[in-house]
Amino acid sequence: MSESQKKVNLLGLSPAKMEAFFDEIGEKKFRATQVLKWIHQLGASSFEEMTNISKALRQKLTEVAEIREPEVLMEKTSKDGTRKWVIKTDSGSSVEAVLIPDGERKTLCVSSQVGCSLDCSFCSTGKQGFNSNLTTAEIIGQLRIAIRSYGDYNTTSQRVVSNVVLMGMGEPLMNFDNVVDAITLMMEDNAYCLSKRRVTLSTAGVVPAIDKLREVTDVSLAISLHAPNDDLRDILVPINKRYPIKELVAACNRYLENLNDKRVITVEYTLINGVNDKPEHAKQLLKILRRMPSKLNIIPFNPFPNSGYERPSEERILAFKEIIVHGGIVTTVRRTRGDEIDAACGQLVGQVADRTRRSQKYIPVVQEELQQSQTKTQ
C-alpha cells in the first residue's frame, strides 16, 4: 500500500467525522471548522495554504492526511455551454459529471456509483452494469472540479454551482453512507452552504432507504418513476418488483411528513415513444401524482446505441404534458442539453468494468417483455 493510500483523505470527511479525526490526532475540535472552510470554501489542495493554522500542525497534517480529488480524464463543453467531465475513480473505472448552465442557475449532475445495479432498461448507465460505490471524496470531488472550472474558487463571493442533483450514474440510496456524508457537506454552512431546496437526491425507489434517509437529512427528494402502472414499471424499472408504486408513494408521503416546510416530491418520467407516452398512461400517472404533493418533470428519451427505444415526437410530448397540466399538476419538460457530448439525461456511461456482465444480455429480453405487457393491456 502506498503512502498516499495510508493517509486520511480529508476531502471526504463530513463535519462530524472531521471533528473525530482531529480528536483522534490529539487536536482541538475547532480545527475541523477551519479545515472544512479551507478545503470546501477556499479550494485548498495542500495544508501549506492554510495560513491560520500553525506550522507545526500543518506539518503534522501533511504526515497523516491529504486532500485528494479524483483525477479528471477528460473534459468536454457543448455548444449550449453544458460541461461534462470523465473522472477516474479508485476502482480504476470512470464516471461522469455534468454541469448545466441556465442563466444565473448552474446545476451540477453528480454520479454516486460506478455503473448501476438497478438495470433500468432505458438508461445507458444501467446497461453498463455495476462496478463499485463512489467514496464521499469522489462524490464531493465532482463539485470541487466543477467549481474550479470557472476559475475563482471562493464560493462565498460568487455562487458558481447553484444547484446539485444526484441524478448521474448510479442509485444514490444504494451507496447510502457515502452519499449522506456528501450531501451533508454540500449543505454545511462551513462548506458549500447550499440550501436544502437546492440539493436533490433522485432514487428509483429503494423504499427502506427512503425511510432511513428521513432520519438523517432533509434534502429534497426526486423519484424516478417512468411508468404509471406496476406491470410496465416492472419492465422499465425492475426494482419495482420489490417495491411497487403503492409502497413507493407511501414512503414519499412519510418523507414529506418529516419536513418542516411545504416541499413536494419531484417525479421524473422519461417519455419513450410508444411505450409509456399514450393518453391512457398520462391519465394513470395523474392518479399517482394526486396521491402525494408532487410536481412532474417529463424527460423525453435521449437515444443511445442499441437501446431499442425512440424519442417521442414533440406533438406526443406536448399532448402528454397537457393531460397532466389540465389535471392540476405543475409540469415541466426537461430541455435536452449536451446531447452532442453524450451528457443528456440517461446517456452517462463513463467506463465501467462490469461485474454483472449485464451488457452481454442487453435489450432483446426487455423488448419481448414490453410486447407481452402491451398485449395484456389491449
Side-chain angles (χ1 to χ4, degrees):
M1 182 177 290
S2 70
E3 181 183 354
S4 173
Q5 289 174 312
K6 295 177 182 177
K7 294 181 177 181
V8 177
N9 188 0
L10 301 191
L11 179 61
L13 297 191
S14 67
K17 290 179 180 178
M18 188 75 82
E19 285 191 355
F21 166 77
F22 277 98
D23 188 49
E24 287 171 7
I25 64 171
E27 297 290 339
K28 300 294 185 181
K29 290 184 179 180
F30 77 87
R31 297 297 186 189
T33 299
Q34 290 179 304
V35 173
L36 280 170
K37 289 180 177 179
W38 274 108
I39 294 174
H40 301 293
Q41 291 188 352
L42 299 173
S45 297
S46 72
F47 300 112
E48 285 306 308
E49 300 172 54
M50 302 180 182
T51 52
N52 62 344
I53 294 177
S54 70
K55 186 175 180 179
L57 179 52
R58 294 201 303 263
Q59 179 60 36
K60 184 177 184 179
L61 289 174
T62 300
E63 293 171 358
V64 300
E66 63 181 347
I67 306 165
R68 179 168 53 88
E69 289 180 6
E71 177 187 356
V72 176
L73 299 177
M74 182 176 63
E75 178 178 352
K76 288 184 177 181
T77 302
S78 74
K79 59 187 178 183
D80 63 16
T82 299
R83 303 183 183 194
K84 182 177 82 168
W85 295 271
V86 178
I87 298 168
K88 185 178 180 180
T89 67
D90 288 343
S91 71
S93 294
S94 61
V95 296
E96 299 182 1
V98 174
L99 184 72
I100 305 168
D102 186 9
E104 293 296 316
R105 182 187 180 101
K106 293 183 178 70
T107 300
L108 180 66
C109 184
V110 171
S111 293
S112 57
Q113 293 182 310
V114 182
C116 186
S117 60
L118 297 191
D119 196 18
C120 297
S121 68
F122 55 87
C123 179
S124 183
T125 302
K127 295 302 104 189
Q128 299 299 301
F130 174 75
N131 176 272
S132 59
N133 288 325
L134 296 190
T135 65
T136 302
E138 289 169 337
I139 298 170
I140 209 71
Q142 296 170 63
L143 180 52
R144 287 225 332 171
I145 289 165
I147 292 171
R148 189 177 296 108
S149 74
Y150 280 89
D152 182 11
Y153 193 95
N154 191 343
T155 58
T156 58
S157 61
Q158 181 181 3
R159 180 68 67 195
V160 176
V161 175
S162 62
N163 297 69
V164 176
V165 293
L166 282 91
M167 297 181 184
M169 297 174 64
E171 163 54 56
L173 293 184
M174 299 295 280
N175 184 14
F176 190 91
D177 292 338
N178 290 327
V179 164
V180 167
D181 281 353
I183 61 178
T184 298
L185 282 169
M186 292 172 191
M187 298 189 293
E188 163 64 33
D189 288 347
N190 294 310
Y192 299 95
C193 200
L194 289 169
S195 162
K196 58 192 175 184
R197 291 179 175 271
R198 292 181 178 268
V199 180
T200 302
L201 184 152
S202 175
T203 175
V206 188
V207 167
I210 295 174
D211 286 329
K212 185 179 177 182
L213 187 70
R214 67 192 176 101
E215 298 175 1
V216 295
T217 186
D218 57 355
V219 69
S220 294
L221 192 65
I223 300 299
S224 296
L225 190 64
H226 309 304
N229 59 69
D230 284 325
D231 286 343
L232 183 53
R233 195 167 192 264
D234 284 351
I235 298 168
L236 297 181
V237 188
I239 197 174
N240 192 74
K241 297 174 184 177
R242 187 167 184 178
Y243 307 115
I245 292 173
K246 183 178 180 180
E247 293 185 22
L248 177 55
V249 169
C252 289
N253 281 322
R254 289 193 296 270
Y255 188 86
L256 291 176
E257 288 171 2
N258 205 51
L259 304 181
N260 58 7
D261 54 14
K262 294 184 178 180
R263 267 180 287 170
V264 300
I265 301 293
T266 298
V267 175
E268 300 165 306
Y269 193 96
T270 298
L271 209 61
I272 307 170
N273 186 52
V275 175
N276 63 354
D277 64 342
K278 299 173 183 177
E280 56 264 37
H281 292 138
K283 292 172 184 176
Q284 292 172 8
L285 176 59
L286 190 56
K287 292 179 180 179
I288 295 172
L289 297 173
R290 286 171 173 165
R291 287 159 51 192
M292 60 183 173
S294 61
K295 61 182 179 180
L296 179 66
N297 189 2
I298 296 173
I299 309 167
F301 175 71
N302 293 304
F304 59 89
N306 302 312
S307 69
Y309 296 133
E310 297 177 351
R311 179 188 179 95
S313 67
E314 287 301 312
E315 182 181 5
R316 289 179 77 95
I317 294 170
L318 293 176
F320 192 95
K321 176 185 177 182
E322 182 60 30
I323 293 172
I324 305 298
V325 171
H326 186 71
I329 301 296
V330 174
T331 305
T332 57
V333 176
R334 184 179 296 176
R335 290 189 295 133
T336 299
R337 301 287 300 273
D339 55 329
E340 81 271 17
I341 59 171
D342 292 333
C345 185
Q347 291 183 325
L348 302 188
V349 295
Q351 200 171 46
V352 180
D354 180 15
R355 292 177 176 174
T356 67
R357 299 188 182 277
R358 181 180 302 140
S359 57
Q360 296 177 11
K361 305 171 187 176
Y362 229 37
I363 204 72
V365 172
V366 174
Q367 292 292 354
E368 183 178 350
E369 290 178 342
L370 278 172
Q371 291 175 1
Q372 293 174 352
S373 174
Q374 290 169 350
T375 300
K376 285 170 58 179
T377 58
Q378 288 176 354

